[in-house]
Amino acid sequence: MTSTPAIELRNISKIFNGTTAVSDVNLSISDGEFIAFIGPSGCGKTTTLRMIAGLEQPTAGEIASYGKRVDQLKPWERDTPLVWQNFALFPFMSVAENVAFGLKMMRLPEAEIKKRIAEWMERVGILQLRDRAISQLSGGQKQRVALARALVTQPRILLLDEPLGALDAHLRIKMQSELKTLQQETGITFIYVTHNQSEALAMANLVAVMNEGRIQQLGSPNQVYRAPSNRFVAQFVGMNNLIDGEVAAIDGEHCMIRAGSNSFSVPAANKPSPGDKVTFIISADLVAIESAEAPQRENQIAATFRGEEFIGSVVTMFFETEYGAEFKVQQQQRAVQKLGLKFGDRVNLSWTANDSFMLL
Amino acid sequence: MRRLNAFFATITVPPILWQVIFFLVPLIFLVVMTFWSVQNYRLKPDFTFTNWQKVLAAGYFYDIYLRTFLYAAAATVITSIVAFPVSLFLGLNAGPRFRIVAIFLLICPFFTSYLVRTYSWQVIISDNGIINTMLGAVGIGQVAMLNTFVGTMIGYATFFLPLVILLQFASIAAIDRDLIQAAHNLRCGRLRTIFAVVVPSAKVGLTVGAAFAFILAFGDFVAPSLLGGGRSPTLSILIIDTVKSASDWPRASVVAMAMIVTMMGVIFAALTFAYRKPGETH
């Protein structure tokens, strides 16, 4: 590890025909980091990645890599190979020729090229496909070819643009752990763009949540998941319920927030004063469901069961409350079965004060 | 099921019928005629190999065949090379509006007859023509172009350069831009990308364009006779002479057969090359 950042973005902006795609982004990515940019489509994450690769010119700002300015370099003068969402493999070349492409461009001796491509094809498990045409490969195999083609040049930084986006769910999970292992073993700085938050949270050590061309939050997966810095992050990352209210009283570490007919105790991390309008969140997986007759607790609201959605063994249940029609609660499928709820059933939802989080 | 068969019959039978009546039957007739004889300038159905023997034994036939082949090959290479930068610009760099105007301008020449366009070249490239007059004005002596190889090549280009550009352009415009960017991303500079990515990606269009150029040049009569002067005859000039001077349709048919076989061979080779898959050579 060196102390100079692998990539430094200084006041980077990009405007396309009057539309701002990236707006004044400042970011320093350390050597060996696995950073994921997440955000909805059009948030500027891919544009940021493409500017690092040189495929897009910033409208303003500077980009430095290991202390050297690179924003004026042509894409082919940079050392930032990209793994494309659609793989962008050369269909008129065999697997081995695709992998060898970057090395040929570097004009390495033939023997060295042979050795290195064999090494990397072996490593990502495509050695037996070396003479195949690209059209004969499955999505997962293409992904591996794309990875080998980028990594064989031994870059210090690897850019990945939704690399698992075109794969089916099962393969995606498998590739996630492989990518993570690969990053840890090689120590290469991974800059990863995805709209899939679970992918980002599972792999990256650092997550940059982007919206409307700006970085909304930069932090560890746990930070962006449990302590979102604003309303957008709270809604985009994880599955949070947002409740708007007014601070009624402060009681040491907690404050009482009045919202509609209820009042809630919320940790007062950011020192609000009584009368402040605030928003707090409670994550869907931290909410308990009890019968409407259960004894009164703090942080409790009345709700009506309206719908459910299954993702594997986890069920997301939707409740109608005075705060809206889609209060979300996530539980294990087993636990939900035990409850035996029917649509229209009235229940109480509650949570521990320390599990809620006030937005700044 | 029966209705489905009727449906397929109605859509497949007419083109097949067309091909049979207007291509296959005349072709068979052409083959048959190569075995006929001519007596007193009149065709006589026969079964003789004399026509084949006479044509294939004549030294001039091979000279003319070779010349025609080389002319066509030269025209193919020259027009492909001249067309390529234009196609490249239209396919990759030109804006949508410029492109439409350019395509329109490329189609325009086909509004007028090829023959008329070829005659107008005579005015431009003859010894007293526009170009030589201008060259003379700046003190450069006369450059012979009309009735030379250069004249023939200009004629061929008039004939099919726009077509070659359109064919090349269509396949270059269809290239996945990500491939070009992926090459740049892997340290491949701009010029190298053209040869490493653009040319192989557009291989089908480039090859079909070249094949068209070859076929049209190989069978053309106008350019070599009106701009090439006809003193270095090509196979089509030979056919016309054989028919005109001797009414020897059977011998002309033999020459025509040689042309058809050559063109078929070239198309077959071109298509095999164009659609060869990567990895198949290993």
Side-chain angles (χ1 to χ4, degrees):
Chain A
M1 287 230 184
T2 41
S3 53
T4 43
I7 289 290
E8 224 184 327
L9 307 178
R10 302 184 197 121
N11 307 101
I12 285 292
S13 293
K14 177 70 187 180
I15 300 166
F16 289 110
N17 307 321
T19 312
T20 305
V22 173
S23 177
D24 201 28
V25 165
N26 281 285
L27 178 66
S28 175
I29 302 168
S30 314
D31 189 44
E33 192 84 74
F34 192 145
I35 182 173
F37 284 84
I38 59 174
S41 47
C43 73
K45 56 190 193 300
T46 297
T47 306
T48 305
L49 192 79
R50 289 172 58 83
M51 285 193 285
I52 296 172
L55 299 170
E56 222 69 80
Q57 268 301 310
T59 312
E62 291 179 7
I63 302 173
S65 181
Y66 296 103
K68 221 181 77 207
R69 259 189 84 169
V70 295
D71 50 277
Q72 270 118 352
L73 296 181
K74 298 286 180 204
W76 49 88
E77 294 164 339
R78 304 191 194 195
D79 184 21
T80 41
L82 175 60
V83 178
W84 305 68
Q85 177 173 15
N86 63 0
F87 316 122
L89 298 173
F90 303 118
F92 44 86
M93 292 181 188
S94 68
V95 168
E97 287 167 336
N98 264 282
V99 177
F101 189 86
L103 298 176
K104 280 215 180 104
M105 295 304 133
M106 293 162 79
R107 299 177 201 278
L108 292 189
E110 197 66 33
E112 171 78 7
I113 294 179
K114 277 218 169 100
K115 199 181 118 229
R116 276 219 232 161
I117 65 168
E119 223 172 85
W120 272 102
M121 286 192 291
E122 170 95 73
R123 182 154 187 178
V124 301
I126 52 166
L127 193 57
Q128 73 286 358
L129 304 174
R130 59 186 311 155
D131 293 325
R132 289 269 185 91
I134 298 303
S135 58
Q136 297 170 306
L137 303 181
S138 69
Q141 290 169 332
K142 284 182 187 165
Q143 186 56 71
R144 286 161 199 275
V145 177
L147 263 177
R149 183 178 71 172
L151 287 169
V152 74
T153 60
Q154 299 178 343
R156 296 173 78 179
I157 300 168
L158 183 69
L159 308 178
L160 302 105
D161 184 12
E162 304 256 10
L164 308 182
L167 306 182
D168 62 62
H170 172 74
L171 198 57
R172 207 153 52 215
I173 305 288
K174 189 163 134 63
M175 286 301 287
Q176 271 181 25
S177 69
E178 281 187 37
L179 279 176
K180 178 81 191 159
T181 312
L182 196 63
Q183 195 271 333
Q184 282 168 341
E185 284 173 4
T186 57
I188 297 171
T189 308
F190 272 34
I191 305 178
Y192 194 105
V193 161
T194 179
H195 67 271
N196 182 330
Q197 48 156 310
S198 71
E199 210 170 283
L201 299 177
M203 287 191 285
N205 345 76
L206 193 61
V207 176
V209 184
M210 283 190 83
N211 190 38
E212 292 178 337
R214 291 175 190 276
I215 295 181
Q216 305 290 325
Q217 186 172 10
L218 181 69
S220 70
N222 201 46
Q223 279 169 337
V224 298
Y225 193 75
R226 289 298 183 205
S229 63
N230 60 32
R231 211 179 169 87
F232 171 79
V233 178
Q235 282 170 324
F236 186 76
V237 180
M239 190 172 276
N240 293 308
N241 297 294
L242 279 74
I243 297 176
D244 298 317
E246 195 183 305
V247 177
I250 305 197
D251 168 23
E253 299 293 292
H254 290 77
C255 61
M256 288 307 291
I257 295 175
R258 288 212 63 78
S261 60
N262 301 300
S263 52
F264 303 96
S265 170
V266 178
N270 50 333
K271 309 271 180 280
S273 349
D276 283 359
K277 301 264 186 232
V278 293
T279 302
F280 73 93
I281 61 164
I282 175 68
S283 177
D285 60 331
L286 302 173
V287 179
I289 305 171
E290 290 175 311
S291 74
E293 291 79 41
Q296 284 290 306
R297 301 167 179 273
E298 65 165 7
N299 302 325
Q300 176 177 282
I301 55 177
T304 310
F305 183 40
R306 288 296 181 212
E308 58 188 345
E309 210 172 77
F310 290 80
I311 306 164
S313 63
V314 177
V315 184
T316 306
M317 308 167 80
F318 299 97
F319 292 90
E320 191 177 324
T321 68
E322 64 177 283
Y323 307 106
E326 288 214 334
F327 198 95
K328 299 169 288 266
V329 179
Q330 242 177 13
Q331 306 243 310
Q332 287 295 313
Q333 205 261 334
R334 272 178 52 179
V336 172
Q337 241 173 4
K338 269 192 205 145
L339 285 171
L341 286 184
K342 293 186 294 297
F343 293 153
D345 282 359
R346 293 197 58 81
V347 295
N348 279 334
L349 304 176
S350 64
W351 56 87
T352 313
N354 281 334
D355 284 343
S356 57
F357 180 83
M358 197 188 300
L359 297 179
L360 300 175
Chain B
M1 198 62 202
R2 176 166 294 172
R3 186 173 296 174
L4 205 62
N5 285 341
F7 171 72
F8 282 116
T10 46
I11 60 165
T12 53
V13 166
I16 292 174
L17 219 59
W18 177 276
Q19 287 287 324
V20 168
I21 295 172
F22 295 104
F23 184 72
L24 200 59
V25 170
L27 190 64
I28 291 168
F29 184 64
L30 197 70
V31 175
V32 169
M33 196 153 64
T34 62
F35 300 104
W36 288 8
S37 56
V38 177
Q39 277 177 347
N40 300 325
Y41 298 104
R42 300 194 68 166
L43 273 174
K44 186 176 149 239
D46 201 348
F47 189 73
T48 167
F49 290 95
T50 328
N51 302 312
W52 286 93
Q53 282 162 354
K54 283 277 162 60
V55 171
L56 295 180
Y60 64 85
F61 170 76
Y62 295 98
D63 291 344
I64 294 175
Y65 183 92
L66 191 66
R67 179 185 300 117
T68 311
F69 197 95
L70 292 179
Y71 272 25
T76 304
V77 172
I78 292 169
T79 45
S80 291
I81 288 174
V82 171
F84 187 69
V86 182
S87 317
L88 201 61
F89 176 75
L90 288 180
L92 295 182
N93 303 68
R97 199 169 293 170
F98 187 92
R99 244 190 214 185
I100 292 170
V101 173
I103 292 170
F104 175 76
L105 291 176
L106 285 167
I107 295 172
C108 269
F110 296 103
F111 289 0
T112 44
S113 150
Y114 164 48
L115 197 63
V116 174
R117 281 181 285 145
T118 309
Y119 269 120
S120 62
W121 272 110
Q122 287 192 345
V123 180
I124 298 168
I125 65 171
S126 72
D127 289 352
N128 315 315
I130 296 170
I131 293 181
N132 273 319
T133 310
M134 289 199 297
L135 288 179
V138 294
I140 301 169
Q142 238 176 33
V143 181
M145 286 174 286
L146 189 61
N147 302 337
T148 65
F149 174 75
V150 176
T152 310
M153 289 301 137
I154 289 175
Y156 287 148
T158 310
F159 192 7
F160 47 71
L161 184 64
L163 180 68
V164 174
I165 294 175
L166 286 169
L167 286 166
Q168 290 188 349
F169 151 76
S171 65
I172 289 174
I175 296 175
D176 178 0
R177 300 300 172 95
D178 283 356
L179 292 184
I180 293 169
Q181 294 199 334
H184 289 338
N185 181 250
L186 291 165
R187 297 166 183 264
C188 191
R190 214 171 258 137
L191 188 66
R192 231 177 153 190
T193 301
I194 291 172
F195 296 102
V197 176
V198 176
V199 170
S201 297
K203 191 169 84 171
V204 172
L206 301 183
T207 315
V208 171
F212 256 102
F214 185 90
I215 304 276
L216 292 175
F218 194 76
D220 185 39
F221 164 74
V222 177
S225 53
L226 292 186
L227 299 177
R231 268 170 299 170
S232 351
T234 59
L235 288 174
S236 25
I237 296 178
L238 177 64
I239 290 178
I240 297 220
D241 286 351
T242 312
V243 171
K244 261 194 192 160
S245 60
S247 285
D248 202 337
W249 291 90
R251 260 176 229 183
S253 305
V254 173
V255 178
M257 285 309 301
M259 293 180 77
I260 289 171
V261 169
T262 306
M263 293 195 226
M264 282 182 163
V266 168
I267 296 176
F268 181 76
L271 292 182
T272 309
F273 172 73
Y275 288 98
R276 196 178 59 207
K277 290 261 176 333
E280 282 179 11
T281 46
H282 293 271

